[in-house]
Amino acid sequence: MRSQMIEVVTGSRERVHDITAACEDFVRSCGDGGLDGLLHVFVPHATAGVALIELGSGSDDDLLAALADLLPADDRWRHAHGSAGHGRSHVMPALIPPYATVPVLAGRLALGTWQSVAVVDLNVDNRERRVRLSFLSG
Protein backbone atom coordinates (compact mmCIF):
# COMPACT_ATOMS: atom_id res chain seq x y z
CA MET A 1 0.00 0.00 0.00
CA ARG A 2 1.18 3.52 -0.78
CA SER A 3 -0.12 6.48 1.19
CA GLN A 4 0.28 10.23 1.03
CA MET A 5 -1.17 13.28 2.77
CA ILE A 6 -2.30 16.26 0.73
CA GLU A 7 -3.23 19.69 2.03
CA VAL A 8 -6.52 21.34 1.07
CA VAL A 9 -7.40 24.96 1.84
CA THR A 10 -11.18 25.21 2.11
CA GLY A 11 -11.28 28.86 3.12
CA SER A 12 -13.60 30.80 5.38
CA ARG A 13 -16.91 29.67 3.88
CA GLU A 14 -18.75 26.38 3.57
CA ARG A 15 -17.24 24.52 0.70
CA VAL A 16 -17.34 21.50 -1.57
CA HIS A 17 -13.72 21.28 -2.75
CA ASP A 18 -12.81 19.16 -5.77
CA ILE A 19 -9.79 16.91 -5.17
CA THR A 20 -10.25 14.62 -8.19
CA ALA A 21 -7.11 15.86 -9.96
CA ALA A 22 -5.01 15.31 -6.82
CA CYS A 23 -6.42 11.78 -6.53
CA GLU A 24 -5.61 11.08 -10.19
CA ASP A 25 -2.07 12.44 -9.77
CA PHE A 26 -1.49 10.29 -6.71
CA VAL A 27 -2.73 7.11 -8.43
CA ARG A 28 -0.48 7.86 -11.43
CA SER A 29 2.51 8.26 -9.11
CA CYS A 30 1.88 4.81 -7.62
CA GLY A 31 2.69 2.80 -10.73
CA ASP A 32 3.65 2.70 -14.35
CA GLY A 33 0.19 3.21 -15.75
CA GLY A 34 -1.48 -0.15 -15.59
CA LEU A 35 -2.17 -0.93 -11.95
CA ASP A 36 -5.56 -2.07 -10.71
CA GLY A 37 -6.54 -1.50 -7.10
CA LEU A 38 -8.44 0.72 -4.71
CA LEU A 39 -7.95 4.36 -3.84
CA HIS A 40 -9.08 5.15 -0.33
CA VAL A 41 -9.63 8.84 0.49
CA PHE A 42 -9.81 9.75 4.19
CA VAL A 43 -10.19 13.14 5.89
CA PRO A 44 -8.85 12.85 9.47
CA HIS A 45 -11.05 15.64 10.80
CA ALA A 46 -14.19 15.49 12.96
CA THR A 47 -15.93 18.15 10.89
CA ALA A 48 -15.34 17.25 7.22
CA GLY A 49 -16.50 14.57 4.81
CA VAL A 50 -15.72 13.07 1.42
CA ALA A 51 -18.36 12.90 -1.29
CA LEU A 52 -18.49 11.41 -4.77
CA ILE A 53 -20.67 13.95 -6.55
CA GLU A 54 -21.13 15.83 -9.80
CA LEU A 55 -19.46 19.23 -9.51
CA GLY A 56 -19.74 22.44 -11.49
CA SER A 57 -23.36 22.04 -12.54
CA GLY A 58 -24.89 23.42 -9.35
CA SER A 59 -24.89 20.11 -7.48
CA ASP A 60 -22.23 21.35 -5.08
CA ASP A 61 -24.39 24.38 -4.19
CA ASP A 62 -27.43 22.10 -3.94
CA LEU A 63 -25.54 19.87 -1.50
CA LEU A 64 -24.60 22.85 0.69
CA ALA A 65 -28.23 24.07 0.59
CA ALA A 66 -29.53 20.61 1.57
CA LEU A 67 -27.05 20.44 4.44
CA ALA A 68 -28.12 23.93 5.57
CA ASP A 69 -31.74 22.69 5.64
CA LEU A 70 -30.83 19.48 7.50
CA LEU A 71 -28.23 21.03 9.79
CA PRO A 72 -29.04 24.72 10.33
CA ALA A 73 -26.26 27.02 11.53
CA ASP A 74 -28.07 28.20 14.65
CA ASP A 75 -27.87 27.83 18.42
CA ARG A 76 -29.64 24.44 18.77
CA TRP A 77 -26.39 22.46 18.95
CA ARG A 78 -25.03 21.28 22.31
CA HIS A 79 -21.52 21.27 20.90
CA ALA A 80 -21.36 25.06 20.93
CA HIS A 81 -17.91 26.59 20.60
CA GLY A 82 -16.55 28.51 17.64
CA SER A 83 -18.75 30.15 15.04
CA ALA A 84 -22.57 30.01 15.13
CA GLY A 85 -23.81 26.50 14.43
CA HIS A 86 -20.37 24.93 14.78
CA GLY A 87 -21.93 21.85 16.37
CA ARG A 88 -23.60 20.94 13.07
CA SER A 89 -20.15 20.50 11.55
CA HIS A 90 -19.56 17.68 14.05
CA VAL A 91 -22.83 15.98 13.05
CA MET A 92 -22.25 16.24 9.29
CA PRO A 93 -19.75 13.31 9.03
CA ALA A 94 -22.58 10.97 10.08
CA LEU A 95 -24.33 12.02 6.83
CA ILE A 96 -21.27 12.53 4.61
CA PRO A 97 -18.61 10.16 5.94
CA PRO A 98 -14.96 11.19 6.21
CA TYR A 99 -13.93 8.57 3.64
CA ALA A 100 -14.62 7.12 0.21
CA THR A 101 -13.11 4.25 -1.78
CA VAL A 102 -12.79 4.40 -5.56
CA PRO A 103 -11.84 1.48 -7.82
CA VAL A 104 -8.74 1.99 -9.98
CA LEU A 105 -8.57 0.12 -13.28
CA ALA A 106 -5.48 0.22 -15.48
CA GLY A 107 -4.14 3.14 -13.46
CA ARG A 108 -7.27 5.30 -13.78
CA LEU A 109 -10.01 6.18 -11.31
CA ALA A 110 -13.13 4.22 -12.28
CA LEU A 111 -15.51 7.10 -11.55
CA GLY A 112 -18.82 7.50 -13.32
CA THR A 113 -19.09 10.04 -16.14
CA TRP A 114 -20.09 12.95 -13.92
CA GLN A 115 -18.55 11.86 -10.62
CA SER A 116 -15.83 13.81 -8.84
CA VAL A 117 -14.12 13.32 -5.49
CA ALA A 118 -14.74 16.24 -3.13
CA VAL A 119 -14.04 17.31 0.42
CA VAL A 120 -17.19 18.70 2.06
CA ASP A 121 -16.45 21.23 4.78
CA LEU A 122 -19.03 23.22 6.75
CA ASN A 123 -16.54 24.28 9.42
CA VAL A 124 -15.59 27.88 8.69
CA ASP A 125 -13.32 27.90 11.77
CA ASN A 126 -10.82 25.44 10.25
CA ARG A 127 -9.54 26.65 6.88
CA GLU A 128 -6.91 24.00 6.26
CA ARG A 129 -7.57 20.29 5.87
CA ARG A 130 -5.42 17.25 5.39
CA VAL A 131 -6.54 14.37 3.22
CA ARG A 132 -4.91 10.95 3.29
CA LEU A 133 -4.82 9.19 -0.06
CA SER A 134 -4.02 5.46 0.10
CA PHE A 135 -3.63 3.15 -2.88
CA LEU A 136 -3.85 -0.59 -2.45
CA SER A 137 -3.01 -2.82 -5.41
CA GLY A 138 -2.69 -6.54 -5.78
Side-chain angles (χ1 to χ4, degrees):
M1 179 176 85
R2 298 231 1 231
S3 190
Q4 170 185 317
M5 279 291 215
I6 63 170
E7 302 291 326
V8 175
V9 177
T10 55
S12 59
R13 64 180 175 87
E14 297 173 1
R15 181 109 186 253
V16 178
H17 185 82
D18 189 357
I19 61 168
T20 308
C23 292
E24 291 169 338
D25 290 346
F26 172 68
V27 166
R28 254 192 310 278
S29 76
C30 289
D32 293 327
L35 293 178
D36 291 347
L38 295 172
L39 172 68
H40 189 74
V41 182
F42 176 68
V43 182
H45 298 281
T47 58
V50 177
L52 301 180
I53 186 171
E54 179 180 4
L55 298 173
S57 65
S59 297
D60 33 357
D61 291 332
D62 290 341
L63 175 58
L64 292 175
L67 289 171
D69 289 344
L70 288 169
L71 305 169
D74 57 23
D75 63 357
R76 74 182 71 202
W77 307 101
R78 290 185 182 107
H79 187 112
H81 68 84
S83 61
H86 177 78
R88 76 189 187 120
S89 297
H90 288 273
V91 173
M92 188 204 65
L95 302 173
I96 299 175
Y99 59 86
T101 302
V102 178
V104 175
L105 301 173
R108 299 191 55 144
L109 300 180
L111 293 168
T113 301
W114 304 111
Q115 284 181 316
S116 296
V117 183
V119 172
V120 180
D121 189 0
L122 301 182
N123 183 355
V124 298
D125 298 326
N126 188 353
R127 297 181 168 137
E128 297 177 8
R129 299 299 187 159
R130 293 174 299 135
V131 181
R132 176 162 300 283
L133 305 176
S134 300
F135 181 65
L136 179 63
S137 64

